[in-house]
């Protein structure tokens, strides 16, 4: 009898101890998944941040060497390009020996031609603004411009000639891309484009400050070839204006420069 009593008491004690330990075990088991979940969340956030940094660097490299978004800041290229359009600048267009052609729409650094000196600015602010502009999120630098090439090295460009039209090397040009409310130019000029440079005009001639406005400045308003950033090939945004800029054939019959009349 004593033995049976002892076994019964031991069994009850063992069962009671097991019941008392259940809440503690459940608490521990609940804490382990919580810690694991927190760790995974932190790991996911770090990974997302890392991927964001890598993606940003890749975008900047792509923008620097291949294609760059460019925000159209003014009405100077209407009607083809409108304020707020984000165009895609092809930086490889002139990278392998080819040069801008008459009719190309180009983005260029106007330092020395349209802007004589770059303005002083805070270095950090300039870096931030430059990065945002390179991604198409901000207006371009004050030294960057978008215009259409109407004359290349050796060309004689004159306005206005026969029928009040622009002439290149003696040939009158049908400039269908010019804003319908504009004349080819209300400022007369007759110039020869130096070799290695470009003569550029905006399509909205009455609203564009272009090579005509800098003829008397150092550099004569001519854009050196090495200042050309790239060619505008596409309108990328807004979505309703997605399109490519088809090359114009209006200059195809222009005779080569050099034999000016």
């Amino acid at each position: 009898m004593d033995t049976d009593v002892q076994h019964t008491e031991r069994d009850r004690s063992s069962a009671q101890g097991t019941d008392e330990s259940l809440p503690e075990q459940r608490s521990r088991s609940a804490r382990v998944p919580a810690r694991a979940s927190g760790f995974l969340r932190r790991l996911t956030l770090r990974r997302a941040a890392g991927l964001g940094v890598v993606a940003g660097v890749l975008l900047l490299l792509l923008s620097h060497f291949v294609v760059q978004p460019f925000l159209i800041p003014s009405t100077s290229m209407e009607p083809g390009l409108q304020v707020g359009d984000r165009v895609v600048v092809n930086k490889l267009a002139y990278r392998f020996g080819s040069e801008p052609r008459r009719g190309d729409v180009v983005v260029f650094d106007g330092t020395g031609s349209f802007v004589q000196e770059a303005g002083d600015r805070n270095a950090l602010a300039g870096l931030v603004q430059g990065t945002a502009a390179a991604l198409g999120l901000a207006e371009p630098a004050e030294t960057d411009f978008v215009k259409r090439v109407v004359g290349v090295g050796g060309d004689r460009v004159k306005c206005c000639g026969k029928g009040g039209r622009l002439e290149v090397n003696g040939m009158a040009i049908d400039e269908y891309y010019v804003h319908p409310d504009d004349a080819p130019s209300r400022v007369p000029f007759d110039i020869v484009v130096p070799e290695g440079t470009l003569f550029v005009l905006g399509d909205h001639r009455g609203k564009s400050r272009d090579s005509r406005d800098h003829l008397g400045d150092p550099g004569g308003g001519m854009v050196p070839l090495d200042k050309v950033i790239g060619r505008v090939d596409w309108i990328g945004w807004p979505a309703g204006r997605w399109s490519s800029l088809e090359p114009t054939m209006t200059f195809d019959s222009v005779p080569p420069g050099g034999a000016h009349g």
Side-chain angles (χ1 to χ4, degrees):
M1 289 294 294
D2 293 343
T3 303
D4 292 339
V5 171
Q6 289 175 2
H7 280 299
T8 301
E9 290 175 353
R10 189 179 300 119
D11 291 342
R12 287 176 179 172
S13 175
S14 175
Q16 185 178 2
T18 302
D19 292 341
E20 290 174 352
S21 65
L22 281 175
E24 183 178 354
Q25 290 175 356
R26 290 195 189 99
S27 176
R28 287 176 180 169
S29 65
R31 285 198 298 270
V32 170
R35 289 198 199 98
S37 175
F39 173 75
L40 289 174
R41 193 179 298 113
R42 288 193 296 273
L43 184 62
T44 302
L45 288 174
R46 286 198 198 99
R47 183 175 296 173
L51 289 174
V53 170
V54 171
V57 170
L58 289 176
L59 277 174
L60 285 174
L61 288 174
L62 185 70
S63 174
H64 186 74
F65 293 107
V66 184
V67 293
Q68 176 182 334
F70 184 90
L71 177 63
I72 301 299
S74 73
T75 61
S76 70
M77 289 300 291
E78 290 180 342
L81 301 178
Q82 300 176 9
V83 176
D85 282 353
R86 285 170 172 79
V87 298
V88 180
V89 180
N90 180 0
K91 290 191 165 185
L92 298 180
Y94 311 122
R95 194 62 65 87
F96 303 104
S98 60
E99 295 183 352
R101 301 171 64 243
R102 304 180 196 100
D104 286 356
V105 176
V106 298
V107 171
F108 60 93
D109 177 2
T111 305
S113 56
F114 282 32
V115 180
Q116 295 311 310
E117 292 183 8
D120 295 332
R121 69 164 77 185
N122 178 275
L124 179 59
L127 177 63
V128 172
Q129 196 278 337
T131 301
L135 297 175
L137 302 176
E139 288 192 4
E142 293 180 358
T143 56
D144 289 349
F145 298 86
V146 55
K147 303 293 177 189
R148 188 181 297 273
V149 178
V150 298
V152 298
D155 284 346
R156 180 181 180 183
V157 185
K158 177 182 177 181
C159 200
C160 294
K162 301 170 186 176
R165 292 188 289 176
L166 180 82
E167 288 185 0
V168 180
N169 299 334
M171 180 176 177
I173 305 300
D174 180 17
E175 295 187 281
Y176 63 88
Y177 45 76
V178 171
H179 196 284
D181 295 334
D182 267 342
S185 180
R186 290 187 171 86
V187 178
F189 58 87
D190 186 352
I191 56 94
V192 174
V193 183
E195 293 293 341
T197 67
L198 305 171
F199 187 82
V200 297
L201 298 175
D203 289 353
H204 197 346
R205 301 284 160 82
K207 299 291 185 180
S208 175
R209 290 186 59 82
D210 45 43
S211 288
R212 298 169 298 169
D213 298 279
H214 301 282
L215 290 174
D217 296 344
M222 309 296 168
V223 178
L225 291 176
D226 61 6
K227 291 290 189 178
V228 176
I229 296 170
R231 184 180 65 210
V232 177
D233 281 352
W234 307 277
I235 300 174
W237 187 262
R241 287 179 50 74
W242 284 350
S243 61
S244 61
L245 264 67
E246 298 297 329
T248 177
M249 295 184 289
T250 196
F251 292 91
D252 284 2
S253 300
V254 172
H260 314 119

